[in-house]
Amino acid sequence: MCGIVGYIGKQPAVPVLMDGLEKLSYRGYDSAGIAVMEEHHHINVRKAKGKLENLRSLLVKSPVAGCMGIGHTRWATHGEPNDLNAHPHTDVQGGIAVVHNGIIENHEALRRYLTAQGAVFVSQTDTEVIAHLLKYLYCGDMKETLLKALPMLEGSYALGVICDAESDALYCARNDSPLVVAWEDGNGYLASDIPALLAHTRDVIFLEDKQIARLDANGIAVCDAYGNPCYHEPFHVEWDLDCAEKGGYAHYMLKEIHEQPEALQKTYAPRRPHLPGEYRWLPVSLSEAQSLRKISIVACGSAYHAGVVGKYAIERLARLPVEVDIASEYRYRDPVIGPQELFVAISQSGETADTLAALREAKRRGARVLVICNVVGSTMTREAGESNTLYTYAGPEIAVASTKAYMTQTEMMLMLAIALGDLRGTLSRSRVEELLKGLEQLPVLAEKTLQAEEMLQRFASLASQKKHVFFVGRGMDYALSMEAALKLKEVSYIFSEAYAAGELKHGPIALLKPGRLVVATITQSGLLEKTLSNLREVTARGASVLAICRESLAQKLEGIAQQIIAIPDTDDWLAPLLAVIPLQLFAYSMAVVRGCDVDKPRNLAKSVTVE
Ligand code: AGP
C-alpha cells in the first residue's frame, strides 16, 4: 500500500523525506514523489515513476530546498504507475499539495463536481480530487478547511497537506489508513508507519479515525472531526527497524495474514451495489451476462486455487459452466473458446508468464477477456485493458507465499458469481441480499477467525515433524484444501497433498497409517455427513485429524478430530474465505517451528516471469 511522510523543522526537508520514504519502501510501490515549501512560500514538486533512485536522480538534476515538505511512495489503485499519477497532487495553481494513502470511493462524483467548478484535473487518480477540494473550500485556515472537506470524502485516507498560504504549518488527517505523528526538538514528523520516524524519535502518536493534526515549530495540535482538541499520550516504540517494517510481526507472511480483514473490506467496499441489481464494477452488460455460454478461468498456483473456488461458486450461483485450467496447460491443449465465452485470468502480480501467455492465446481466439489482478498497470492489466480489469485491493504482498491476495481473489470470484447469478436471474433478490450481507460481514468474522493463531501454533509445535500431510474436503472445501496443501508445501517443505474426501478410498487411503496427519475442512453443511464418514475411515487407519469447521458443526467432530478449529458461522458459499485463515496460520506455524525461511522459501520467486 502507499506510504506517506511529512516534515517541518530546522533541517533541510529533502533528506528527511527521502530517508522516510526509503524506510517505507517495504510496503511496495511503483512511483514516488515529494513536495517542498521553498522560500517565498512556493511549493516545488518532484515525482518519478519506478524506484526511489529515479526520484533521487531527478532531485540531483533539479534540486529543491526548504524545511517543510511531504513525500509519498505510491502503490497504484486508480490510474497506472507514471509520473502524472504519482503523488503529491496539487490544485491548479500549485498552492496546496497533498499525499494520500487509501481509496476515495466517491472520487468520480467529486471529480465531476469540482470540474464543474473550474478545477482542471491532470491525473487518473482518486487522490487528486482532495487537492482540488481543499483549494475550492480554502478559507485561510487549513484546519478549518479540512474540517469542512473531510466529511465530503467517502473511503479511507491518511493525508499529508502543505499550503503556500501557511508555510509555517504541516497538516495531516486519517480515516481507516494508519498515520503516525511525532515532534522532537522543534521538528515535526508524520508518516504512515513507525519505520519512517525511528531515525528521529521513538515517541510517537497514533492518530485516530477522523482526527486532524497541525504540526509547527511549537508542537502538535490534534483535533477531532468537530475541531475539539484531543490529547494523545506518546507511545514509546521498543521495536527495532526490521521488526517495525513488519508492523511488529515476525514475518511478512504473518503480517499479511492479519491484513486480510482490511483487504477483504477494501476489495468489497468500492463494489457495494448502490441499487439492487446494479454492478457498475462488472465490465459485463446484462445482455452479455444472459448470453454467456461458458467461463474459462486460467491461472497458476494460489490464483489457480482461487479459480477452482470460483468454479464451484459460479456454476452453483449463476448456473454457468466453468472450466478452470492451470495456465501452463491451457495454452498447449488447443482450447475450445470463442466470442460468446468469458476468459478470466487471475494473477496477483499480473506478470506471471504462463498466465500472460494463456491470456494472449484466448485473445487471439476471439474470447472476451477479464483480468483479476492486484497490481495496477501490470502487463496483464495493460493487455486486457483497464476496463476489462478487476483489481483486488489487498495492497502489496511481500511474502512469496500468497495469503491476502488469494483471499481477495476468492472474494472476487464470489462477487462475480453473485453478480452473474443476479443478472442471469438464477438467484432470487432475497438470496442476493443475503449473500451481499454476508460479504459485508466477512472482515469482522475474519478478524475473529484470526484468534485461532495461538491454538495453531501449539498444534504445529506437536505436528512439525510430520513427513506427509493430507488435506481433504468436499465441494468448495476440496478447492480450499488445494490451497492449504500448497501453503504447507511452500513454506515448511513438508510433502502435502489435497484430495477430495470422497476420493481417499480410491487409493490414497493406502498411505494412511498411525501417525499420519489429515487436515479436514468442513464448512459445507450439506456435505457434512459424507465428510464425517470419510474421516471415520481415516481415523480407523490410525491417522489423526485436524478439523477446520464451522462453529455450528464442531460438536459433530468430537471423538473424530484430535484438534478442532472452529470458524464463525456464515453462508456456506462464504465460509471458505474464513476457513482458509486457520489453514494459512497452520502452514505458517509449521514453517516457523521447522526454522524455514518463511518469507523467502527456497527455490521460489514472488512473481514467476519465466515459463
Ligand atoms: C502462491 O503462494 C505462490 N507464491 C505461487 O503459486 C503464485 O500463486 C503463482 O506463482 C501465481 O502468481 P500470480 O498470482 O502473481 O500470477
Side-chain angles (χ1 to χ4, degrees):
M1 76 273 326
C2 303
I4 73 170
V5 294
Y7 171 74
I8 182 169
K10 299 170 275 191
Q11 304 165 29
V14 171
V16 177
L17 297 174
M18 293 305 292
D19 176 63
L21 293 179
E22 284 289 356
K23 296 294 190 299
L24 296 180
S25 57
Y26 72 89
R27 301 160 68 91
Y29 66 99
D30 44 50
S31 56
I34 63 172
V36 174
M37 183 71 72
E38 294 208 299
E39 54 187 304
H40 314 308
H41 303 205
H42 176 69
I43 294 177
N44 251 329
V45 177
R46 298 287 183 273
K47 45 191 189 176
K49 178 183 175 182
K51 294 304 177 193
L52 284 169
E53 290 70 36
N54 299 348
L55 180 57
R56 287 189 189 283
S57 305
L58 178 60
L59 286 164
V60 168
K61 279 186 282 194
S62 175
V64 293
C67 297
M68 178 174 80
I70 50 179
H72 187 268
T73 47
R74 180 174 182 245
W75 173 262
T77 56
H78 295 75
E80 68 174 70
N82 59 31
D83 293 1
L84 265 187
N85 288 332
H87 301 204
H89 288 288
T90 69
D91 65 298
V92 178
Q93 291 81 18
I96 293 175
V98 172
V99 289
H100 167 230
N101 175 30
I103 294 178
I104 304 302
E105 293 159 21
N106 63 330
H107 70 96
E108 289 167 333
L110 285 171
R111 181 182 279 249
R112 287 194 296 271
Y113 174 74
L114 291 163
T115 302
Q117 309 306 320
V120 177
F121 284 80
V122 296
S123 82
Q124 305 160 288
T125 67
D126 55 330
T127 302
E128 192 183 348
V129 299
I130 302 171
H132 292 294
L133 181 62
L134 292 176
K135 174 65 180 175
Y136 177 66
L137 296 173
Y138 190 64
C139 57
D141 178 326
M142 185 51 77
K143 174 192 150 189
E144 294 305 320
T145 303
L146 285 163
L147 286 170
K148 281 190 287 183
L150 297 179
M152 297 168 71
L153 302 180
E154 292 172 15
S156 54
Y157 55 79
L159 291 180
V161 182
I162 58 175
C163 169
D164 59 3
E166 299 180 48
S167 59
D168 60 344
L170 169 65
Y171 290 87
C172 57
R174 78 151 279 178
N175 186 46
D176 278 347
S177 298
L179 188 56
V180 187
V181 295
W183 194 86
E184 184 121 344
D185 297 336
N187 299 293
Y189 307 91
L190 69 90
S192 297
D193 198 358
I194 288 170
L197 302 183
L198 284 182
H200 312 291
T201 178
R202 285 187 171 274
D203 296 312
V204 303
I205 290 170
F206 298 96
L207 280 198
E208 293 170 10
D209 279 353
K210 311 289 189 196
Q211 288 187 341
I212 296 168
R214 183 185 196 274
L215 294 85
D216 58 24
N218 303 317
I220 303 173
V222 180
C223 71
D224 64 15
Y226 306 99
N228 304 316
C230 306
Y231 177 73
H232 291 277
E233 188 61 37
F235 168 81
H236 184 75
V237 179
E238 300 293 349
W239 294 330
D240 61 52
L241 196 54
D242 179 51
C243 181
E245 283 176 355
K246 302 184 186 92
Y249 292 101
H251 300 98
Y252 284 114
M253 182 178 175
L254 185 61
K255 176 170 176 278
E256 288 155 10
I257 289 171
H258 281 265
E259 286 175 341
Q260 290 182 123
E262 180 185 6
L264 283 165
Q265 194 276 336
K266 286 190 170 175
T267 299
Y268 175 71
R271 300 178 170 111
R272 186 184 293 118
H274 292 286
L275 294 168
E278 177 204 64
Y279 298 99
R280 280 185 293 179
W281 55 269
L282 181 63
V284 175
S285 69
L286 177 60
S287 60
E288 285 169 332
Q290 289 170 341
S291 62
L292 263 181
R293 292 211 323 264
K294 180 179 83 173
I295 292 183
S296 292
I297 301 174
V298 176
C300 300
S302 292
Y304 167 74
H305 297 148
V308 179
V309 172
K311 172 182 171 65
Y312 282 98
I314 296 167
E315 289 194 340
R316 182 66 182 75
L317 302 179
R319 308 310 292 156
L320 245 183
V322 177
E323 283 181 2
V324 193
D325 277 88
I326 288 173
S328 54
E329 290 296 306
Y330 180 80
R331 56 185 298 219
Y332 296 113
R333 67 177 183 80
D334 195 7
V336 177
I337 192 163
Q340 273 196 296
E341 292 160 20
L342 183 61
F343 174 94
V344 180
I346 306 175
S347 176
Q348 188 285 132
S349 62
E351 303 299 343
T352 300
D354 290 325
T355 311
L356 182 57
L359 172 65
R360 289 168 176 163
E361 183 64 22
K363 282 177 70 176
R364 194 178 64 78
R365 293 169 182 252
R368 174 81 201 278
V369 299
L370 188 61
V371 165
I372 293 175
C373 187
N374 196 45
V375 180
V376 175
S378 55
T379 305
M380 278 183 226
T381 66
R382 281 185 280 111
E383 297 209 1
E386 287 291 313
S387 60
N388 295 318
T389 297
L390 296 177
Y391 285 114
T392 52
Y393 295 120
E397 195 172 61
I398 310 294
V400 166
S402 182
T403 50
K404 60 178 185 173
Y406 166 82
M407 173 72 87
T408 51
Q409 289 162 358
T410 309
E411 181 186 30
M412 281 309 304
M413 287 285 100
L414 285 157
M415 288 169 67
L416 189 59
I418 295 164
L420 289 173
D422 194 357
L423 294 174
R424 293 166 56 84
T426 54
L427 288 176
S428 67
R429 170 64 30 216
S430 60
R431 182 65 178 127
V432 169
E433 295 307 325
E434 198 178 41
L435 287 163
L436 292 174
K437 186 165 176 284
L439 275 174
E440 194 85 46
Q441 292 167 343
L442 270 183
V444 171
L445 297 180
E447 197 66 56
K448 190 177 170 199
T449 308
L450 285 163
Q451 292 166 10
E453 181 177 341
E454 201 176 312
M455 218 185 298
L456 285 153
Q457 282 169 344
R458 281 202 302 273
F459 186 85
S461 63
L462 302 173
S464 65
Q465 296 316 309
K466 297 292 179 186
K467 296 278 182 293
H468 185 154
V469 178
F470 270 113
F471 290 85
V472 300
R474 283 175 175 259
M476 296 242 273
D477 292 335
Y478 168 46
L480 199 59
S481 296
M482 294 178 182
E483 174 58 11
L486 175 61
K487 283 285 100 31
L488 188 64
K489 264 189 273 244
E490 275 191 289
V491 296
S492 72
Y493 313 145
I494 293 174
F495 188 83
S496 321
E497 206 163 9
Y499 252 92
E503 184 65 5
L504 277 176
K505 54 188 175 294
H506 299 287
I509 202 163
L511 290 174
L512 295 188
K513 61 180 185 178
R516 278 273 190 266
L517 173 61
V518 173
V519 182
T521 302
I522 309 109
T523 67
Q524 305 299 296
S525 41
L527 298 169
L528 172 66
E529 291 309 323
K530 290 279 191 298
T531 309
L532 288 177
S533 63
N534 297 142
L535 296 181
R536 289 190 190 95
E537 294 158 11
V538 164
T539 52
R541 273 78 184 172
S544 54
V545 173
L546 164 63
I548 314 291
C549 70
R550 295 195 2 213
E551 277 164 358
S552 57
L553 308 180
Q555 199 174 5
K556 298 266 191 174
L557 275 298
E558 298 293 345
I560 295 176
Q562 178 194 2
Q563 174 77 55
I564 299 170
I565 304 288
I567 61 172
D569 274 305
T570 182
D571 196 287
D572 266 15
W573 293 97
L574 304 176
L577 279 92
L578 298 180
V580 74
I581 294 173
L583 293 165
Q584 294 166 339
L585 290 168
F586 172 63
Y588 170 78
S589 303
M590 293 283 270
V592 168
V593 173
R594 291 164 64 92
C596 299
D597 185 349
V598 176
D599 288 331
K600 297 187 180 69
R602 67 188 181 204
N603 311 334
L604 297 182
K606 182 58 187 169
S607 178
V608 184
T609 55
V610 293
E611 289 189 36

